[in-house]
Amino acid sequence: METEKKLMDEDGNRLDGRKWNQLRPIRLEVGVVKNADGSAHIEWGKNKITAAVYGPKEVHPKHQVLPDRALLRSRYHMAPFSVDERKNPAPSRREIEISKVIREALEPAVVVEDYPRTAIEVWVEVLQSDGGSRVAGITAASLALADAGINMRDLVVGCSCGLLGEHVVADLDDTEDKEGNGDMPVAIMPTKGLVTLLQVDGIYTRENFQKAFELAIEKGKEVYAMQREALTKRFFSSDLTSGPIEEEAA
Amino acid sequence: MPIVERKQVIPGDVIARGDHRYGPFVEKVGDDYIALRIGLAEVGADGVKLNPLTGPYLPRADDEVIGKVVDMNGFGWVVDINSCFDGFLPASFVFGREFSPATHDLSSKFRVGDIIGARIESFERSRDPQLSIRGQGYGKMDSGELVKISPTKVPRLIGRRGAMINMISERTGCDVRVGQNGVVVVNGQPEATTKAVTAVQMVEKEAHAADLAAKVEQYLGSGGDGN
């Protein structure tokens, strides 16, 4: 197939030299936005995304208050300079949809019942965009929520897989996303083993679907290890002892 | 004191299995006790405990808090207690049962902008926390330096049976009031106040250090009681 030839050579090397199951380089940092209650920054391939969490705080406008739980709001936004051609900063149809799926991917992990009548705001700002920005955004947003000290049942981590011709590959970049034959972003709660986001485009055989889905989960767990590392670096890097810490009994 | 194994946990981690009592920030799923926060978990005689390292202040009944009056209506004052919920101090708690909006002037007691020390009288999910100033030491605070620290660091600032906070106030000669909501008011001589404030901020910044008490003592020791 023409596209397959172009995107993957005979040895199974992709355009950027990766193997079919290899992730792009990922760098995570927690606590980057000082004014926010929690924040995280992720660089995943060419993606550069900052997520910030504000809250829990009072809900405005008041009629949106939920009496028994927190209102989780999220905004995914691409900076005008995040792509080659200037992007209109007004929220596009695509960004509105991604805001929604990010919110729905995070909501099962957040213990919203612990914060009745409040709002928790998640802002995901794409500073430089590449393929797989929604899963990178979810990965950063869940770290920001944990950093904000909001009760969570688990972190959420995302990873995408896709099709180049008939080949299932992990973690599509921008070119592969546009020229390839399918894209499948998946978000999971890794210790619970639950899927919180599953979107698919392209035409998959049953076998390829299964393979891509399992690969996304496997790779997602690799990213989860990096999330752990980022949180450990932020909160546990100084020498904590297992000795007694003198504090007032709560 | 017994040495308890402290485990560094992040949300989703299993702290322990089996049958224990458990406190806040821990969820039981089947046999597993799951951490809901980033923090230090310990399993001891009093069950599964998690001391979070980050997070907002959530009111609890009987907490002492320091807040700022942000609004006033016919029935009481609305107080910002550094939380997602505003505290409400009913006028009848201040003027007594015979309070009537017609005869009592609320602004004679507290005005918008005043800093007050109060106790959380009650708090439940469905309503904002109610405050009370009954008891010694509560009410308007009309002088001092206001410092905000992370509410999760408050137990460290107080220390075991108030050791840390007593040390700071004794060494500097300042009166240091700590609210569970992370608001601290320091009263004293100007230089001593600056010193106490720095010590408070030091506790917040180095709350994780095991030899924190010694560090603070060393800092205060350098001419601490020289006023």
Side-chain angles (χ1 to χ4, degrees):
Chain A
M1 197 182 265
E2 177 76 82
T3 51
E4 187 187 349
K5 263 249 161 60
K6 225 168 60 188
L7 293 170
M8 203 183 219
D9 68 17
E10 295 76 27
D11 303 327
N13 292 318
R14 296 203 245 160
L15 281 184
D16 55 4
R18 284 184 291 154
K19 294 286 178 203
W20 69 278
N21 62 352
Q22 219 177 340
L23 291 172
R24 287 167 288 171
I26 299 174
R27 197 178 72 83
L28 281 163
E29 199 181 338
V30 181
V32 290
V33 181
K34 204 166 175 247
N35 285 355
D37 296 306
S39 60
H41 180 76
I42 185 168
E43 289 178 12
W44 184 329
K46 288 186 187 117
N47 280 309
K48 287 188 200 287
I49 301 171
T50 298
V53 169
Y54 293 79
K57 56 188 211 174
E58 267 179 75
V59 183
H60 289 292
K62 274 273 188 291
H63 69 86
Q64 290 184 349
V65 168
L66 302 172
D68 59 335
R69 59 199 167 97
L71 175 70
L72 189 63
R73 288 185 173 132
S74 86
R75 184 177 102 130
Y76 167 99
H77 181 247
M78 286 169 74
F81 51 81
S82 64
V83 277
D84 293 339
E85 195 87 10
R86 177 182 184 274
K87 191 208 147 280
N88 186 330
S92 64
R93 182 193 167 94
R94 174 178 171 276
E95 286 168 292
I96 294 167
E97 182 208 305
I98 294 181
S99 301
K100 173 183 175 289
V101 301
I102 288 181
R103 186 183 73 238
E104 289 173 356
L106 296 172
E107 203 155 16
V110 177
V111 190
V112 283
E113 307 82 52
D114 284 355
Y115 307 95
R117 295 173 288 123
T118 63
I120 298 168
E121 292 176 349
V122 179
W123 304 77
V124 176
E125 193 70 23
V126 180
L127 304 176
Q128 179 170 289
S129 123
D130 195 359
S133 66
R134 76 190 66 191
V135 288
I138 289 169
T139 305
S142 94
L143 284 181
L145 281 164
D147 181 38
I150 288 162
N151 289 355
M152 289 173 86
R153 299 185 176 94
D154 198 353
L155 295 181
V156 183
V157 57
C159 184
S160 71
C161 278
L163 283 179
L164 302 183
E166 293 298 308
H167 294 283
V168 171
V169 294
D171 191 20
L172 303 179
D173 66 20
D174 196 37
T175 326
E176 291 171 331
D177 186 19
K178 287 185 178 129
E179 312 285 327
N181 304 72
D183 178 23
M184 181 196 283
V186 179
I188 55 169
M189 286 161 70
T191 58
K192 295 250 188 254
L194 298 174
V195 175
T196 65
L197 166 78
L198 174 59
Q199 293 183 302
V200 177
D201 76 13
I203 299 166
Y204 291 72
T205 61
R206 271 174 187 275
E207 293 73 40
N208 275 345
F209 180 90
Q210 191 67 23
K211 195 174 167 192
F213 181 63
E214 279 163 11
L215 182 64
I217 289 173
E218 182 195 320
K219 290 287 142 187
K221 287 185 177 163
E222 272 178 37
V223 183
Y224 175 63
M226 298 178 213
Q227 278 185 318
R228 283 200 81 95
E229 202 183 303
L231 284 178
T232 307
K233 197 175 149 209
R234 171 85 166 82
F235 288 98
F236 304 120
S237 60
S238 45
D239 50 316
L240 277 159
T241 59
S242 59
I245 285 187
E246 291 164 14
E247 64 181 33
E248 187 199 39
Chain B
M1 77 179 270
I3 298 202
V4 197
E5 186 66 40
R6 276 168 192 266
K7 205 160 124 187
Q8 303 169 352
V9 290
I10 66 168
D13 283 356
V14 176
I15 304 170
R17 291 203 163 81
D19 203 16
H20 305 275
R21 292 197 290 151
Y22 60 101
F25 318 122
V26 179
E27 189 181 59
K28 192 176 184 191
V29 181
D31 249 5
D32 297 346
Y33 294 86
I34 309 281
L36 298 178
R37 290 273 190 94
I38 300 165
L40 297 170
E42 51 187 56
V43 186
D46 46 345
V48 181
K49 256 178 70 183
L50 175 61
N51 298 311
L53 289 176
T54 163
Y57 172 68
L58 289 179
R60 274 203 324 203
D62 284 337
D63 273 1
E64 277 185 37
V65 296
I66 297 170
K68 182 179 177 181
V69 178
V70 287
D71 198 9
M72 191 166 73
N73 57 37
F75 305 96
W77 297 267
V78 179
V79 184
D80 174 10
I81 53 168
N82 197 24
S83 168
C84 48
F85 305 104
D86 276 336
F88 186 71
L89 175 62
S92 56
F93 283 10
V94 176
F95 292 105
R97 204 174 295 168
E98 64 275 14
F99 165 74
S100 137
T103 51
H104 290 89
D105 175 21
L106 270 75
S107 58
S108 70
K109 199 77 187 168
F110 304 123
R111 287 169 179 275
V112 171
D114 282 356
I115 302 293
I116 61 168
R119 193 171 57 83
I120 309 258
E121 183 76 17
S122 64
F123 175 60
E124 24 154 346
R125 292 171 51 84
S126 56
R127 273 199 281 160
D128 279 346
Q130 227 174 35
L131 304 179
S132 151
I133 54 164
R134 261 178 269 184
Q136 219 186 355
Y138 297 134
K140 188 170 165 183
M141 296 174 158
D142 33 28
S143 66
E145 190 82 12
L146 195 108
V147 198
K148 274 192 185 177
I149 63 167
S150 161
T152 53
K153 308 281 162 63
V154 167
R156 287 290 271 161
L157 178 59
I158 293 173
R160 179 156 286 270
R161 292 202 196 92
M164 184 75 76
I165 200 68
N166 287 341
M167 180 168 76
I168 295 175
S169 68
E170 276 164 24
R171 293 290 177 94
T172 59
C174 291
D175 176 37
V176 188
R177 292 280 306 272
V178 187
Q180 289 294 328
N181 55 342
V183 182
V184 183
V185 172
V186 182
N187 256 308
Q189 297 298 320
E191 298 87 51
T193 305
T194 314
K195 193 141 198 174
V197 168
T198 315
V200 168
Q201 285 164 340
M202 193 170 151
V203 173
E204 187 195 17
K205 226 168 85 191
E206 303 188 33
H208 46 77
D211 57 343
L212 179 65
K215 277 187 184 166
V216 176
E217 190 164 15
Q218 193 196 354
Y219 169 73
L220 293 172
S222 53
D225 32 15
N227 49 334

